[in-house]
Amino acid sequence: MNYTEDQIQRYSRHIILQDVGVEGQEKINNGKVLIVGAGGLGAPVALYLAAAGVGTIGIIDGDVVDLSNLQRQVIHFTPDVNKAKVLSAKEKINQLNPDVKVVTYYDLLTSSNALDIIKDYDFVVDGTDNFPVKFLINDACVQAGKPFSHGGILRFEGQTITVLPGTACYRCVFHAPPPPNAVPTCSQAGVLGAIAGMLGTIQAAEVLKYLTGVGDLLTNRLLTFNAKTMEFRTIKVKHNHRCAVCGDHPTITELIDYEQAVCEIKNQA
Amino acid sequence: MSKIRVNGKEQEVEVPILLIDLIKKNDVAQPEMVSVQINGEFVDRGDFNSTLVNDNDEVDFLYFMGGGSQKSLPSPSKEGVNETSNLSINK
């Protein structure tokens, strides 16, 4: 890649970083990352990846900006209320860094489009708040051999794990989605806004580490934190040989659209 | 009394203790929703009632956590989207 003077200046803090350098920055500029959900997690992920110069950022979200989103979804501003989140996010990314190509999907990720969408990307970031899509992302990425980052937040807590082909997957740890409404979502139980930034920036750092090949990814380790105590913990998790999607005898060979929580179905009416 | 570690913190309990009793003792809100590892090995939810926790065991309770973006169906009438999306997937 031939950098202009402006680009050298823009990326200078990466370029002077010993483990990254021009070579690492080129890898970032050539990277293609899909962000599923332009919400609390997707917002900081998109902003930091855009700032870093990730070459192509895909964003899929079928929702519009709501006033209640602005407490934590920092890529959307007050005038964006009622605008499609993918459009709002694309506008901010374009302003932040014109080097980034943004591909928007104003849609939901489903069993019928998931594999077709993720095939174009090097890495997938789960920024959704519902378990059916979290499991869908996991299964699709495992089947397609795509690395991805799982992220979850609730109230004052967050959790994240990076999954590469062969490492412990989300389903290895959590088996199957909880029944609809069994586990509260952020919209039901609340979340401290800054938690989304804490967790999302960890996910963004994992993406940049993956693209540049720097450091040790958060694989086979579930990172959890509680902002009330500011205690962080990584729990070692192993690839589960009985896992239904990546175990020795997988029973899940096709993608599944699990039932959603009742309140979410109501919202769709 | 013996020492075990639950989510990284020492706990004093009478061992052996049934996993389901340890779950209750730790006020796990929805036992049917928690994933449990003992010494790094997952325990099937169906075995919570029959699995014993012993001296020096390390037990991890892992909870479901949702996240960032609320999900709802796209509404086709939203302004500006069709003109500016450079790609949209038809279902």
Side-chain angles (χ1 to χ4, degrees):
Chain A
M1 216 172 147
N2 292 321
Y3 287 113
T4 63
E5 271 183 41
D6 276 358
Q7 284 174 317
I8 289 171
Q9 205 175 344
R10 177 185 288 271
Y11 304 121
S12 60
R13 299 305 189 274
H14 273 160
I15 291 169
I16 61 170
L17 194 58
Q18 207 171 19
D19 286 326
V20 179
V22 174
E23 208 174 294
Q25 184 58 45
E26 281 181 345
K27 289 176 183 166
I28 294 171
N29 289 119
N30 290 325
K32 295 178 176 180
V33 178
L34 177 70
I35 302 169
V36 185
L41 300 175
V45 171
L47 288 171
Y48 273 97
L49 295 188
V54 168
T56 303
I57 297 179
I59 307 173
I60 176 164
D61 197 309
D63 217 345
V64 297
V65 179
D66 185 87
L67 197 55
S68 67
N69 299 151
L70 303 184
Q71 164 256 20
R72 67 199 176 284
Q73 300 181 14
V74 293
I75 204 166
H76 309 302
F77 302 163
T78 305
D80 298 318
V81 169
N82 290 328
K83 192 186 281 182
K85 286 185 175 179
V86 290
L87 177 60
S88 164
K90 181 188 161 100
E91 289 173 353
K92 307 315 183 316
I93 293 171
N94 288 340
Q95 288 177 54
L96 176 56
N97 189 347
D99 290 348
V100 178
K101 181 188 170 201
V102 184
V103 181
T104 57
Y105 309 84
Y106 184 47
D107 206 343
L108 303 174
L109 195 74
T110 65
S111 64
S112 48
N113 65 17
L115 290 170
D116 194 44
I117 293 176
I118 67 173
K119 74 172 174 4
D120 295 331
Y121 295 91
D122 304 318
F123 196 101
V124 178
V125 177
D126 161 23
T128 67
D129 101 326
N130 67 92
F131 298 104
V133 179
K134 285 189 183 304
F135 278 86
L136 176 66
I137 292 168
N138 180 76
D139 295 353
C141 288
V142 167
Q143 286 182 10
K146 291 283 178 193
F148 78 99
S149 165
H150 153 76
I153 49 172
L154 189 65
R155 301 189 182 100
F156 293 86
E157 293 175 64
Q159 69 175 208
T160 176
I161 185 170
T162 301
V163 179
L164 301 186
T167 70
C169 81
Y170 183 60
R171 201 182 271 281
C172 285
V173 182
F174 291 107
H175 315 299
N181 291 321
V183 175
T185 63
C186 292
S187 50
Q188 292 162 331
V191 62
L192 190 72
I195 300 293
M198 291 171 70
L199 205 280
T201 50
I202 294 171
Q203 291 185 287
E206 286 288 286
V207 175
L208 296 176
K209 282 165 60 188
Y210 175 80
L211 292 177
T212 56
V214 172
D216 300 316
L217 293 168
L218 193 60
T219 48
N220 297 316
R221 291 180 293 155
L222 181 75
L223 172 71
T224 66
F225 67 81
N226 185 329
K228 280 188 182 170
T229 54
M230 271 312 168
E231 282 185 324
F232 284 65
R233 234 189 124 221
T234 52
I235 301 147
K236 282 185 187 167
V237 290
K238 272 194 223 163
H239 170 246
N240 188 341
H241 291 282
R242 288 166 298 178
C243 177
V245 72
C246 74
D248 298 339
H249 305 286
T251 52
I252 294 170
T253 51
E254 293 202 346
L255 300 180
I256 305 164
D257 291 310
Y258 287 101
E259 194 190 343
Q260 292 172 53
V262 171
C263 63
E264 284 161 0
I265 290 166
K266 272 188 203 148
N267 286 341
Q268 291 181 1
Chain B
M1 291 298 241
S2 292
K3 284 196 173 103
I4 59 168
R5 290 180 83 84
V6 176
N7 285 1
K9 289 196 172 140
E10 257 183 24
Q11 246 179 47
E12 290 206 343
V13 292
E14 295 278 358
V15 290
I17 180 172
L18 272 175
L19 178 54
I20 189 70
D21 292 332
L22 187 69
I23 288 172
K24 283 177 195 154
K25 191 177 145 61
N26 279 275
D27 291 326
V28 173
Q30 292 169 295
E32 70 283 4
M33 292 294 116
V34 73
S35 284
V36 180
Q37 280 197 140
I38 300 179
N39 302 326
E41 299 288 341
F42 287 106
V43 182
D44 284 342
R45 290 208 179 97
D47 294 338
F48 288 1
N49 288 310
S50 56
T51 300
L52 287 170
V53 178
N54 292 297
D55 203 9
N56 292 318
D57 277 353
E58 296 199 11
V59 182
D60 290 302
F61 295 135
L62 309 176
Y63 301 97
F64 277 114
M65 229 171 266
S69 177
Q70 226 174 303
K71 177 172 172 164
S72 67
L73 276 176
S75 148
S77 63
K78 295 302 186 266
E79 58 178 298
V81 172
N82 294 331
E83 296 86 72
T84 46
S85 291
N86 41 27
L87 183 54
S88 73
I89 294 291
N90 296 319
K91 279 185 284 188

